[in-house]
């Protein structure tokens, strides 16, 4: 029979590791299934592993590199006894207590782990363009987070790709820093809301390139320009920019929980505010997997703390 854990945490970004720190300090011996590196950019440590300087995480007045910050989270969780496993869950069964989690073969008769409570902190993955050099230059001019990285582009010419509210919001935010922001959209009509469109159209720093696709991101050490193609005329061109913000949406990592945990239409988990409770008693969710509003490391960490406290109280009430 597989080991029975009080608290099993799925995911190891700021939410999961903060939950681990709190659960470990409460002597709940949390087990963290931290994920595995994958070709889609998912990896232990979450989205901060893909950024460079983090300047808005309180406590680091001089900034800290994203991967270094996650290393500190990890060390702090391990110091109090959290066990981290570099594994990816392939199946969960939340239909009865104890919950069951499989690693490897999802059809195996026996689960790998059993747990009285589960904290889901599997995060979200920014959708990317899948262009040849996009991954290579991620953190070196290519970004998926204007709030995190906009500051580095003071007086630069930069571009945002996408035509939804995220792209419009990011572009508008980025005009605080950049000299110009070119929104590159694959159609000739925006998807974003009217108010956001009006705001972007009225902003003298924002320009639009319609019916245009980014076919490559060019630059040796950092972004120098974008290769573009007009999908109506097939005309190709190059746009000199030092930054590319990809804002074509995020995908919450919730495939594992389909049919078991309540989700919004967009796939984000539903929690019972102001708690981290899901629709299954004993299962809690924190971080970006349940947050399509703020999506910040610090808000994820805060909800991770809440999830650990919710799990601790649930165990006390149900033991
Ligand atoms: P979204 O509404 O799905 O828009 C994604 C945009 O990216 C679309 O314009 C889409 O083009 C484009 N796109 C998708 N895949 C692409 C690709 N491979 N190459 C080039 N372009 C691509 O996503 P979102 O903007 O992140 O917004 C998600 C949700 O959050 C929406 O409901 C939005 O209203 C909400 N949101 C609200 C606010 C706010 O109110 N302040 C801010 C941000 C987000 P097409 O238009 O051609 O499909």
């Amino acid at each position: 029979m597989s080991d029975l854990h009080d608290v099993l945490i799925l995911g190891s970004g700021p939410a999961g590791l903060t939950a681990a720190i709190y659960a470990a300090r409460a002597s709940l011996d949390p087990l963290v299934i931290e994920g595995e590196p994958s070709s889609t950019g998912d990896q232990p440590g979450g989205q901060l592993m893909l950024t460079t300087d983090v300047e808005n995480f309180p406590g680091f007045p001089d900034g800290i590199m994203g991967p270094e910050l996650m290393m500190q989270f990890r060390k702090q969780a391990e110091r109090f006894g959290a066990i981290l496993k570099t594994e990816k869950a392939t199946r969960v069964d939340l239909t009865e207590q104890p919950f069951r989690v499989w690693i490897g073969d999802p059809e195996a008769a026996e689960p790998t782990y059993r747990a009285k409570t589960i904290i889901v902190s599997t995060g979200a993955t920014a959708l990317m363009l899948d262009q040849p050099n996009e991954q290579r230059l991620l953190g070196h001019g290519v970004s998926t987070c204007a709030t995190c990285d906009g500051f580095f582009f003071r007086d630069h010419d930069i571009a945002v790709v996408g035509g939804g509210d995220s792209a419009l919001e990011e572009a508008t935010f980025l005009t605080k820093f950049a000299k110009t922001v070119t929104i590159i959209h694959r159609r000739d009509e925006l998807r974003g809301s009217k108010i956001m469109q009006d705001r972007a159209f009225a902003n003298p720093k924002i320009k639009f390139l319609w019916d245009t696709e980014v076919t490559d991101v060019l630059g040796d050490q950092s972004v120098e320009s974008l290769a573009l193609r007009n999908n109506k005329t097939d005309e190709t061109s190059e746009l000199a920019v030092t930054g590319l913000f990809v804002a074509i949406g995020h995908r919450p990592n919730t495939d594992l929980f389909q049919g078991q945990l309540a989700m919004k239409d967009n796939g984000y988990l539903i929690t019972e505010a102001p708690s981290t409770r899901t629709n299954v008693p004993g299962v809690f969710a924190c971080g970006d997997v349940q947050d399509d509003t703020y999506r910040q490391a610090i808000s994820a960490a805060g909800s991770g703390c809440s999830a650990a406290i919710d799990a601790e109280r649930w165990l006390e009430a149900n033991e």
Side-chain angles (χ1 to χ4, degrees):
M1 182 75 75
S2 49
D3 291 348
L4 178 63
H5 297 270
D6 282 333
V7 179
L8 186 146
I9 299 170
L10 293 168
S12 59
L17 291 183
T18 302
I21 292 166
Y22 273 75
R25 288 193 78 252
S27 304
L28 294 172
D29 300 327
L31 175 71
V32 183
I33 308 300
E34 64 169 354
E36 279 175 347
S38 82
S39 57
T40 56
D42 294 334
Q43 56 190 303
Q47 293 182 59
L48 280 193
M49 299 301 285
L50 304 175
T51 59
T52 50
D53 279 305
V54 178
E55 293 189 326
N56 54 6
F57 201 91
F60 298 92
D62 300 322
I64 182 167
M65 300 299 271
E68 170 64 18
L69 179 59
M70 293 323 298
M71 193 56 73
Q72 304 277 8
F73 269 71
R74 197 190 160 96
K75 256 168 84 182
Q76 197 170 351
E78 286 181 325
R79 179 180 153 210
F80 294 111
I83 303 292
L84 276 75
K85 298 263 189 183
T86 313
E87 300 173 334
K88 203 172 164 79
T90 50
R91 179 181 159 203
V92 296
D93 183 348
L94 309 176
T95 54
E96 59 184 354
Q97 276 282 354
F99 304 125
R100 297 181 298 161
V101 175
W102 280 257
I103 308 293
D105 181 7
E107 304 302 328
E110 270 294 305
T112 317
Y113 303 110
R114 296 176 308 134
K116 295 181 200 169
T117 65
I118 289 188
I119 294 177
V120 179
S121 51
T122 45
T125 305
L127 298 174
M128 299 298 286
L129 296 167
D130 285 334
Q131 292 310 329
N133 290 304
E134 186 187 35
Q135 281 296 330
R136 180 176 63 82
L137 293 170
L138 196 59
H140 301 278
V142 177
S143 171
T144 54
C145 177
T147 324
C148 320
D149 299 330
F151 184 77
F152 303 114
F153 296 90
R154 198 171 282 284
D155 294 327
H156 289 220
D157 293 311
I158 59 175
V160 173
V161 62
D165 279 333
S166 292
L168 296 172
E169 189 170 77
E170 303 239 315
T172 305
F173 175 78
L174 288 165
T175 59
K176 287 186 191 183
F177 312 102
K179 187 156 75 178
T180 64
V181 180
T182 303
I183 296 182
I184 302 168
H185 184 35
R186 62 185 179 182
R187 294 186 296 136
D188 60 2
E189 198 183 347
L190 294 167
R191 177 178 295 279
S193 56
K194 171 101 175 45
I195 186 168
M196 304 283 279
Q197 292 197 25
D198 290 347
R199 201 171 294 158
F201 286 136
N203 190 318
K205 284 187 170 179
I206 297 181
K207 307 186 227 177
F208 288 87
L209 274 179
W210 304 105
D211 302 313
T212 302
E213 293 170 22
V214 177
T215 53
D216 204 355
V217 186
L218 308 171
D220 192 12
Q221 301 297 320
S222 62
V223 174
E224 291 166 17
S225 66
L226 305 175
L228 305 176
R229 185 180 73 88
N230 182 303
N231 57 27
K232 285 220 168 115
T233 62
D234 247 351
E235 198 181 318
T236 57
S237 60
E238 213 174 298
L239 178 72
V241 287
T242 51
L244 172 67
F245 286 80
V246 182
I248 61 172
H250 282 78
R251 189 181 52 77
N253 299 318
T254 50
D255 291 354
L256 210 52
F257 314 104
Q258 288 287 345
Q260 301 196 69
L261 293 181
M263 297 176 192
K264 297 186 196 172
D265 288 345
N266 63 8
Y268 283 81
L269 297 184
I270 296 174
T271 50
E272 212 181 289
S275 78
T276 61
R277 286 192 294 270
T278 67
N279 60 310
V280 175
V283 180
F284 306 90
C286 53
D288 284 15
V289 73
Q290 50 84 60
D291 175 11
D292 52 357
T293 309
Y294 302 107
R295 300 190 191 121
Q296 300 299 302
I298 188 68
S299 48
S303 69
C305 157
S306 306
I309 293 173
D310 287 343
E312 185 186 2
R313 290 182 181 161
W314 190 91
L315 285 164
E316 266 168 25
N318 290 278
E319 292 279 74

